[in-house]
Amino acid sequence: MSAQPQYIFLLEPVHSISGELIAWELLTRFADDADINNKRNPNRDAGFFSRLPADEKWQLFLHQIGKLIQLYQKGFQQIISVNVDRDIVASIFKDTEIQEKLVQLTLMRLEISAFFTARFNSADLLILKGVAKVTPAPLWLDDFGPGYSNLTMLDSGIFEIVKIDKEFFWQFGDGHIFDTLLNHLNDLCDGVIVEGVENQSHIDLLAHKKIYGMQGYHWGSVYLSDFLEKS
């Protein structure tokens, strides 16, 4: 019988234009991963999840939810987004126990993988609307921009926040295309978070743009365990 995988959980901060800390994203690594302390690991959770079979992803999700319940029971009062994909979303529907636990997590957000919405169809939309009914957690869309998602899916109005992919920001952030996209996205959701903010020049570039927040390696991640250990 193989041993249970050991995970390390990181919280990556999201800041507003004014510098205020407004949210966190929960990231997961294998404890023995050589990249665990590499804050510039380009794969982040998209690459991490691709290494796990569906049943292991579900067990990981349950583990994450357990950790967040502990954290919020200690009085934590900030938003945390948790990455989910098609497999995890499908499992949420089948498990009333996890649905009851999610009801407790009013400050949690489900961050939908952009790969989920790559091929928009009515079935995908029904699945996402169904998730919105069984949990109070608003849906965020991850990594918008590189072609994995489309505006048609966003027309449904089911996403509270959309995150713009870092590669898209790096390529188009200083041009008209980026500003046009921001205008479209802000009409279809409550706000936009830009990923890939790595230095002060990136912050300066975004200073007068219509965004809700910024996320990237300019700010250090913290270990979830450090918050849990605080009294």
Side-chain angles (χ1 to χ4, degrees):
M1 184 176 179
S2 59
Q4 281 290 103
Q6 297 296 311
Y7 301 113
I8 289 177
F9 300 109
L10 300 169
L11 290 174
E12 185 168 280
V14 179
H15 289 264
S16 68
I17 287 294
S18 65
E20 178 188 2
L21 177 64
I22 54 177
W24 302 87
E25 179 180 351
L26 180 64
L27 302 177
T28 307
R29 298 289 178 267
F30 290 117
D32 60 354
D33 193 329
D35 284 334
I36 183 61
N37 292 315
N38 181 3
K39 299 297 190 251
R40 299 181 64 83
N41 179 0
N43 292 322
R44 302 182 74 242
D45 276 17
F48 179 84
F49 278 126
S50 69
R51 299 160 61 182
L52 302 179
D55 59 339
E56 193 169 324
K57 277 187 285 189
W58 178 242
Q59 292 304 314
L60 169 58
F61 179 70
L62 296 179
H63 191 32
Q64 290 173 323
I65 295 305
K67 291 289 187 183
L68 291 186
I69 289 174
Q70 291 178 42
L71 181 62
Y72 284 120
Q73 285 177 341
K74 285 178 170 285
F76 193 80
Q77 291 292 319
Q78 295 172 324
I79 289 171
I80 299 178
S81 65
V82 179
N83 292 274
V84 296
D85 66 358
R86 189 182 300 274
D87 294 325
I88 295 173
V89 167
S91 295
I92 290 174
F93 280 116
K94 304 172 187 175
D95 194 317
T96 55
E97 183 178 348
I98 194 64
Q99 291 172 22
E100 292 171 358
K101 289 181 178 180
L102 292 178
V103 168
Q104 304 175 45
L105 299 172
T106 57
L107 288 172
M108 189 189 77
R109 303 295 186 261
L110 292 177
E111 191 162 323
I112 305 295
S113 166
F115 291 100
F116 191 108
T117 59
R119 50 166 195 82
F120 173 79
N121 58 43
S122 57
D124 289 337
L125 183 56
L126 286 174
I127 289 172
L128 293 175
K129 284 185 174 180
V131 171
K133 289 180 179 179
V134 299
T135 169
L139 304 183
W140 288 11
L141 180 63
D142 196 18
D143 292 333
F144 186 92
Y148 303 136
S149 304
N150 57 59
L151 289 173
T152 305
M153 176 63 85
L154 294 177
D155 281 336
S156 63
I158 60 175
F159 293 108
E160 178 185 53
I161 296 292
V162 173
K163 290 188 175 184
I164 291 184
D165 174 74
K166 63 180 183 296
E167 299 283 354
F168 189 89
F169 167 54
W170 293 340
Q171 184 174 358
F172 299 108
D174 60 351
H176 178 68
I177 291 175
F178 191 78
D179 292 336
T180 300
L181 178 63
L182 283 179
N183 288 333
H184 282 310
L185 293 179
N186 278 297
D187 287 339
L188 299 172
C189 68
D190 293 342
V192 177
I193 292 172
V194 178
E195 300 176 311
V197 177
E198 298 199 339
N199 50 56
Q200 186 61 45
S201 63
H202 285 162
I203 295 174
D204 294 342
L205 177 61
L206 294 169
H208 302 292
K209 295 188 183 292
K210 295 172 59 177
I211 65 170
Y212 169 68
M214 306 174 290
Q215 181 177 353
Y217 296 130
H218 182 70
W219 301 277
S221 299
V222 299
Y223 289 101
L224 175 60
S225 58
D226 288 346
F227 282 124
L228 288 172
E229 290 168 3
K230 292 179 180 179
S231 57

